[in-house]
Amino acid sequence: MLYRESGDFSETYKADSQTFPIKFDRYRYYAVLAFAFLVIPFIINDYWANAVLVPFLIYAIAAIGVNILVGYCGQVSLGTGGFMAVGAYACYKLMTAFPEVSIMIHVVISGGITAAVVTVFGLPSLRIKGFYLAVATLAAQFFLVWLFNRVAWFYNYSASGQINAPDRTVFGHLVTGPNTEAWAKYMICLVFLTVAGILARNMTRGALGRKWSAIRDMDIAAEIIGVNPLTAKLSAFAISGFFIGISGALFFSVYLGAAEVGEVFGIQKSFLVLFMIIIGGLGSIFGSFAGAAFMVLLPVLLKNVLVGGLGWDTALAAHLEFVIVGALIIVFLIAEPHGLAQLWRVAKEKLRLWPFPH
């Protein structure tokens, strides 16, 4: 009986249009934020940070970026891995060239550089769409991986071709490098995800988000009613690239500490993030969180249950993961195209109506 709208009355347009018009939703949102910022940093350990929480936070940022482009604007992209590599290598070059500048600024600038690169590769969207646009972004994926592999300047002429994140601090605490504590990794990623989520939520609910949705639903009709396809599509590519670049920079500098572009940012990374938004829900910020959590937790769960509990072979458990993910994608695309976000929305509707049948 807690989840009820009875007694929640809006007296202004501002109150009626806020993100969480129901008090219970607002209190739950504040409680989750308080728990994330004030409780988890004191109880987190290396296993939970490296296996679950830090990957989830970083992938959620990437999923938000891809969801803006694919879910809200309807522009198919298969170059996420390459775009994350742009953010990672931009952050590496900035960290080595300007060691006195804060890593927080480096990550933001890396997002801006990635936004510019993604916008360039988004120019074909003005002429092509659908399958052809997917192929164009797929070509960007392979080109960027080849570029970072072949041009030695990007990895500072290292003999191994690998980039390594130097030690950097925020407020006197290490956030990059092998000696970084678990809570520090978690906190810097949490700050970026919180800001990214708030920005994305407000953009998608505003005039810009309505333009993206109009382009997604029918671009010709959107142009007739005054939506400029040039600015709408390129802004979606730019903002999506900004979030993806931030996730790539954090993935390299905070989570991995070292990376080789072909292994870390290959085509499998592009499909992984795409699967996140398909399972979580296209056109939903919450779906980005839900899909990232699902895709991060599933391998950990299967490994603990099948390998640790039942003694199965590790390779068999990994193959079973592909089968489960593939089956879920088919099921969601057929039965529930809006993913886990829609299931959560339906559950809330049921709670509003219970115990009444209508």
Side-chain angles (χ1 to χ4, degrees):
M1 299 296 292
L2 292 175
Y3 196 83
R4 287 294 182 271
E5 295 184 49
S6 179
D8 286 357
F9 302 107
S10 300
E11 298 179 350
T12 62
Y13 287 112
K14 181 179 179 180
D16 185 59
S17 61
Q18 59 186 329
T19 302
F20 300 107
I22 302 175
K23 289 182 180 179
F24 184 82
D25 284 344
R26 290 199 298 274
Y27 296 153
R28 182 185 60 203
Y29 170 74
Y30 296 141
V32 169
L33 278 183
F35 184 79
F37 277 96
L38 302 177
V39 178
I40 293 182
F42 296 98
I43 62 176
I44 193 174
N45 55 33
D46 287 334
Y47 173 77
W48 277 97
N50 295 322
V52 178
L53 292 176
V54 173
F56 159 69
L57 296 174
I58 295 174
Y59 278 127
I61 299 174
I64 289 173
V66 177
N67 217 338
I68 286 175
L69 184 61
V70 179
Y72 283 97
C73 197
Q75 308 301 302
V76 183
S77 173
L78 295 177
T80 307
F83 300 146
M84 289 180 70
V86 174
Y89 277 79
C91 186
Y92 171 69
K93 294 297 293 185
L94 290 169
M95 291 173 73
T96 54
F98 306 99
E100 69 282 356
V101 179
S102 172
I103 180 64
M104 305 284 283
I105 298 176
H106 287 327
V107 171
V108 174
I109 295 176
S110 300
I113 293 173
T114 310
V117 173
V118 174
T119 303
V120 171
F121 284 106
L123 289 173
S125 67
L126 304 177
R127 293 292 183 182
I128 59 177
K129 57 183 177 180
F131 171 76
Y132 301 99
L133 181 59
V135 172
T137 55
L138 186 62
Q141 163 72 40
F142 290 116
F143 170 75
L144 290 170
V145 171
W146 172 86
L147 181 68
F148 293 130
N149 260 328
R150 293 296 180 181
V151 181
W153 178 82
F154 287 110
Y155 49 84
N156 285 353
Y157 305 96
S158 169
S160 63
Q162 179 176 281
I163 56 175
N164 297 279
D167 293 348
R168 292 293 181 267
T169 60
V170 175
F171 299 119
H173 297 283
L174 276 175
V175 294
T176 64
N179 298 319
T180 306
E181 297 183 44
W183 70 268
K185 291 183 179 182
Y186 167 79
M187 283 300 295
I188 187 173
C189 295
L190 179 63
V191 169
F192 276 105
L193 176 60
T194 303
V195 175
I198 294 173
L199 290 176
R201 177 63 177 170
N202 282 280
M203 281 188 291
T204 54
R205 294 173 69 243
L208 191 57
R210 290 192 289 271
K211 291 179 181 178
W212 293 339
S213 299
I215 292 293
R216 175 196 62 197
D217 294 339
M218 188 174 291
D219 53 354
I220 297 177
E223 188 173 3
I224 291 173
I225 63 174
V227 176
N228 188 337
L230 173 66
T231 57
K233 291 182 179 181
L234 292 187
S235 64
F237 273 97
I239 294 171
S240 171
F242 180 73
F243 289 134
I244 293 172
I246 288 178
S247 68
L250 293 174
F251 196 77
F252 152 68
S253 62
V254 176
Y255 179 51
L256 295 180
E260 195 282 321
V261 63
E263 296 178 0
V264 178
F265 300 109
I267 186 62
Q268 70 277 3
K269 193 70 69 181
S270 300
F271 286 115
L272 176 63
V273 181
L274 185 63
F275 294 161
M276 287 178 184
I277 64 170
I278 291 175
I279 293 177
L282 293 170
S284 168
I285 300 300
F286 173 77
S288 303
F289 286 86
F294 183 87
M295 294 300 293
V296 169
L297 287 173
L298 180 63
V300 177
L301 178 64
L302 290 179
K303 184 177 181 180
N304 287 333
V305 173
L306 300 180
V307 179
L310 301 179
W312 286 23
D313 182 68
T314 305
L316 179 60
H319 292 156
L320 184 61
E321 175 192 344
F322 293 138
V323 174
I324 293 174
V325 171
L328 285 173
I329 290 173
I330 295 173
V331 169
F332 275 113
L333 287 177
I334 296 175
E336 189 50 80
H338 296 290
L340 296 173
Q342 179 64 16
L343 297 179
W344 174 248
R345 200 174 297 118
V346 170
K348 291 200 299 182
E349 291 295 332
K350 295 294 184 182
L351 287 173
R352 290 178 184 178
L353 298 176
W354 185 86
F356 304 106
H358 302 292

